[in-house]
C-alpha cells in the first residue's frame, strides 16, 4: 500500500527477482522436477544455487550475509519458485521463514552473527520443529521437554513432520519447559547437527512436495548449552506464533505459485488440445473454468501481498496472514483440480505437469496450520 492509495505494480526488485528465477527455473528446475518427485531425493544442489542467488536469506539483512529484501520480494521469490516445483518452493519457504526467520526475529546478536550468514547462503540448511506426532494443531500441548541442569538444558522427545530434518545442519526446536497446559510453558533452542543425543528419525513417503524432505527429529538426553536458548525461558510458543504469521504468508505465496503454474499449463493446453475440430478453449465450459481459476488467483495474490504489506509495516498481521493462507491454499487446490480436469485423461498421467501440481497443492491447506485452524484464528480476530 502506498501513501496515496494502493500500489498494484511489482517493484523493480520484484521484476528482477522474478526474471532471475524464471531463467534459472526453466534451465535447472523444470528439467529435473519429475526426477526429484519420483526419487524423493532432496535437491541440495538446487538449494545451494538458490543460496548463491541470494534466495535463501531473502529477509536477512546484508550485515548478516543476506539479501536484505522485504516481505514483498519474499512473496515473489516463493511464488516464482513454487510455479516450477512446489517441493522446492516449500523447502525455500521453510528455510527462509521458519528456521532462519526465528533466529532473525528472536535470536541474540551472537546467535545472529554465528548462524545467519551460513543459513543465508545455504551453506547450512535450516529446520524448525514444533509439531509432534500427537500435537499438530494443538502444538502448545507438546511432550518434548527441556529440563535445566546447571549451565545446560537437557532435551527429550520426538518432533514429527520436520522439513529438512535429515539434511538440515541446524534446527530451531520448541520444547516444553513448564507444566502441560500452562501459560508460557515452552522455550526455543538452536540445535546443531552432530550434537550428542540429537538425530533424525523416519523420513516420510509423501503424496506431494516430494522433493522437500520431511522427517522425525529425535532427542535423547540431548544437552544444549544455555547459549543455545533463543530469548527468554517460557517465550517459545509465543515466538513460534510470531514466526508462523510470516510462515503463513510463505505458504500463501507458495500456494499462489502452484496455482499460477497449474493455471498457465491449463491455459496453454486448452488452446492446443483439439476436440470436435476446434481447440477446447472454444467451449464455454472450459473458458468459465479458466475464468474462475484466473479470478481466484488474482484474489489470492491481493490477499497475500496485503499480508506481506502488513508484516513489512509491522502492523498486526495475524488476521491478514491467516486470510491469505486460507484463501490462497484452498485456491491452489481448486485451481490444480480444475487444471487436471481441463487436461482430461492426460491430466492423470505423469508425462504432463498438472498431476504434480494437484498433489503438491494439498499440503498448502495443511502445513503451518490447517484451513480449519486459520478459520479459528480469523474468527477470534473478528471479535477484537
Ligand atoms: C510436508 C509437511 C511438512 C511439514 N513441515 C513442518 C515443519 O517443518 N515443522 C513443523 O513443526 N511442522 C511441520 N509440519 C506439520 C504441520 O504443520 C501439521 O501437520 C499441521 O499443523 C497439522 O497438524 P496435524 O497433522 O497433527 O493434524 P491435526 O492437528 O491432528 O488435525 C487433524 C484434523 O483436525 C482438524 N482440527 C484440529 N484441531 C481442530 C480444531 N480446534 N477445530 C477444528 N478442526 C480442528 C484439522 O484442521 C485437521 O483437519 C509439516 C507437515 C507436512 C505434512
Amino acid at each position: 500500500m502506498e501513501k496515496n492509495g494502493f500500489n498494484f505494480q511489482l517493484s523493480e526488485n520484484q521484476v528482477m527477482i522474478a526474471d532471475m528465477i524464471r531463467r534459472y527455473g526453466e534451465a535447472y528446475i523444470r528439467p529435473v522436477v519429475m526426477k526429484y518427485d519420483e526419487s524423493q531425493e532432496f535437491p541440495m544442489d538446487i538449494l545451494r544455487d538458490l543460496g548463491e542467488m541470494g534466495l535463501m536469506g531473502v529477509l536477512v539483512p546484508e550485515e548478516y550475509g543476506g539479501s536484505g529484501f522485504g516481505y514483498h520480494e519474499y512473496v515473489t521469490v516463493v511464488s516464482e519458485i513454487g510455479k516450477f516445483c512446489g517441493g522446492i518452493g516449500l523447502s525455500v519457504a521453510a528455510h527462509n521463514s521458519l528456521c532462519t526467520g526465528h533466529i532473525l526475529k528472536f535470536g541474540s546478536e551472537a546467535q545472529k552473527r554465528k548462524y545467519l550468514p551460513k543459513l543465508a547462503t545455504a551453506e547450512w540448511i535450516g529446520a524448525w520443529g514444533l509439531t509432534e506426532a500427537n500435537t499438530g494443531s494443538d502444538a502448545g500441548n507438546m511432550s518434548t521437554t527441556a529440563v535445566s541442569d546447571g549451565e545446560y538444558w537437557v532435551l527429550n522427545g520426538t518432533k514429527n513432520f520436520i522439513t529438512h530434518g535429515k539434511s538440515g545442519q541446524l534446527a530451531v526446536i520448541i520444547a516444553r519447559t513448564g507444566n502441560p497446559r500452562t501459560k508460557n510453558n515452552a522455550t526455543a533452542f538452536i540445535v546443531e547437527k552432530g550434537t550428542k543425543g540429537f538425530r533424525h528419525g523416519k523420513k516420510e513417503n509423501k503424496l506431494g512436495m516430494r522433493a522437500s524432505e520431511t522427517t522425525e527429529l529425535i532427542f535423547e538426553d540431548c544437552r544444549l548449552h544455555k547459549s543455545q536458548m533463543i530469548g527468554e525461558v517460557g517465550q517459545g510458543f509465543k515466538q513460534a506464533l510470531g514466526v508462523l504469521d510470516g510462515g503463513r504468508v510463505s505458504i500463501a505465496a507458495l500456494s499462489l505459485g502452484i496455482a499460477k503454474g497449474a493455471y498457465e499449463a491449463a491455459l496453454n493446453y486448452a488452446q492446443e488440445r483439439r476436440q470436435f475440430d476446434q481447440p477446447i478453449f472454444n467451449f464455454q465450459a472450459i473458458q468459465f473454468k479458466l475464468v474462475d481459476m484466473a479470478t481466484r488467483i488474482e484474489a489470492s495474490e491481493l490477499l497475500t501481498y496485503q499480508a506481506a504489506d502488513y508484516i513489512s509495516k509491522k502492523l498486526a498481521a495475524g488476521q491478514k496472514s491467516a486470510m491469505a493462507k486460507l484463501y490462497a491454499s484452498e485456491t491452489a487446490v481448486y485451481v490444480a483440480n480444475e487444471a487436471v480436469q481441463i487436461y482430461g485423461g492426460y491430466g492423470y498421467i505423469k508425462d504432463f505437469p498438472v498431476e504434480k501440481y494437484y498433489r503438491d497443492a494439498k499440503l498448502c491447506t495443511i502445513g503451518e496450520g490447517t484451513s480449519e485452524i486459520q478459520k479459528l484464528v480469523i474468527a477470534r480476530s473478528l471479535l477484537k
Side-chain angles (χ1 to χ4, degrees):
M1 271 175 261
E2 295 290 280
K3 208 167 156 199
N4 298 316
F6 297 94
N7 178 13
F8 296 109
Q9 269 69 53
L10 294 183
S11 68
E12 268 180 35
N13 277 339
Q14 286 173 289
V15 171
M16 182 268 294
I17 290 167
D19 281 351
M20 178 174 72
I21 294 173
R22 271 176 220 149
R23 272 185 276 115
Y24 179 83
E26 288 299 345
Y28 299 104
I29 302 180
R30 200 177 309 279
V32 294
V33 154
M34 288 314 285
K35 176 189 127 184
Y36 287 115
D37 186 66
E38 267 156 27
S39 67
Q40 277 212 123
E41 193 190 324
F42 184 60
M44 189 64 93
D45 289 355
I46 291 181
L47 293 190
R48 292 258 151 79
D49 284 353
L50 296 176
E52 277 177 26
M53 291 155 71
L55 305 180
M56 296 297 274
V58 180
L59 299 162
V60 175
E62 288 174 72
E63 58 173 311
Y64 302 115
S67 298
F69 286 128
Y71 259 84
H72 294 78
E73 289 85 357
Y74 179 58
V75 168
T76 306
V77 169
V78 175
S79 61
E80 288 298 327
I81 295 173
K83 271 193 207 170
F84 288 98
C85 177
I88 295 173
L90 178 64
S91 277
V92 170
H95 174 91
N96 270 284
S97 76
L98 297 181
C99 178
T100 309
H102 199 134
I103 296 173
L104 181 61
K105 268 197 181 117
F106 301 107
S108 66
E109 189 54 34
Q111 289 166 342
K112 288 185 197 175
R113 296 231 167 262
K114 183 168 179 191
Y115 295 118
L116 291 180
K118 289 194 168 73
L119 290 167
T121 51
E123 183 187 337
W124 283 14
I125 299 294
W128 189 80
L130 175 67
T131 305
E132 298 180 4
N134 295 322
T135 53
S137 303
D138 189 15
N141 194 26
M142 69 189 80
S143 319
T144 297
T145 53
V147 175
S148 176
D149 179 17
E151 286 296 291
Y152 290 83
W153 286 93
V154 184
L155 270 68
N156 278 291
T158 301
K159 294 288 175 185
N160 202 27
F161 291 152
I162 306 307
T163 304
H164 314 143
K166 181 174 171 218
S167 299
Q169 281 82 5
L170 194 72
V172 170
I173 298 298
I174 324 297
R176 193 157 50 70
T177 45
N179 291 325
R181 298 267 181 230
T182 56
K183 261 196 150 188
N184 302 330
N185 68 353
T187 305
F189 299 91
I190 302 175
V191 194
E192 290 186 26
K193 193 176 191 167
T195 305
K196 204 168 163 232
F198 172 50
R199 64 186 168 89
H200 70 85
K202 179 179 162 227
K203 177 174 167 173
E204 304 297 347
N205 184 7
K206 304 196 296 291
L207 169 74
M209 302 293 199
R210 288 168 60 83
S212 181
E213 175 190 275
T214 315
T215 77
E216 287 175 327
L217 283 181
I218 299 170
F219 298 88
E220 292 159 323
D221 290 331
C222 173
R223 290 175 77 78
L224 295 178
H225 189 262
K226 293 219 150 130
S227 58
Q228 297 304 95
M229 185 172 90
I230 304 181
E232 305 283 316
V233 177
Q235 295 301 299
F237 195 63
K238 244 189 215 161
Q239 291 175 5
L241 294 181
V243 169
L244 284 172
D245 278 351
R248 282 168 185 159
V249 176
S250 293
I251 302 298
L254 180 57
S255 306
L256 184 61
I258 293 172
K260 283 184 176 177
Y263 165 77
E264 284 166 16
L267 180 63
N268 287 334
Y269 188 78
Q271 295 166 81
E272 287 161 11
R273 176 69 174 169
R274 296 177 71 84
Q275 292 290 282
F276 302 97
D277 302 321
Q278 55 191 309
I280 59 169
F281 184 85
N282 287 2
F283 305 128
Q284 199 177 50
I286 300 292
Q287 290 173 9
F288 279 12
K289 282 189 193 303
L290 289 160
V291 167
D292 288 341
M293 292 155 81
T295 307
R296 286 189 59 166
I297 288 171
E298 293 272 321
S300 298
E301 190 153 32
L302 291 173
L303 281 172
T304 305
Y305 277 113
Q306 172 178 255
D309 204 71
Y310 267 62
I311 295 183
S312 302
K313 291 180 175 147
K314 300 198 181 343
L315 300 170
Q319 184 204 58
K320 305 299 178 203
S321 61
M323 284 179 170
K325 202 263 180 192
L326 171 66
Y327 191 80
S329 64
E330 294 291 344
T331 293
V333 171
Y334 168 84
V335 168
N337 182 43
E338 290 293 64
V340 171
Q341 194 66 21
I342 290 171
Y343 268 73
Y346 298 96
Y348 209 67
I349 303 293
K350 284 185 185 282
D351 294 344
F352 294 85
V354 287
E355 63 83 32
K356 180 173 181 295
Y357 288 119
Y358 181 76
R359 289 183 287 109
D360 288 348
K362 190 59 201 155
L363 183 271
C364 298
T365 67
I366 297 169
E368 299 198 30
T370 61
S371 289
E372 292 76 13
I373 295 301
Q374 304 311 314
K375 287 185 184 177
L376 288 186
V377 171
I378 298 164
R380 271 184 221 126
S381 75
L382 299 180
L383 298 177
K384 280 182 186 161

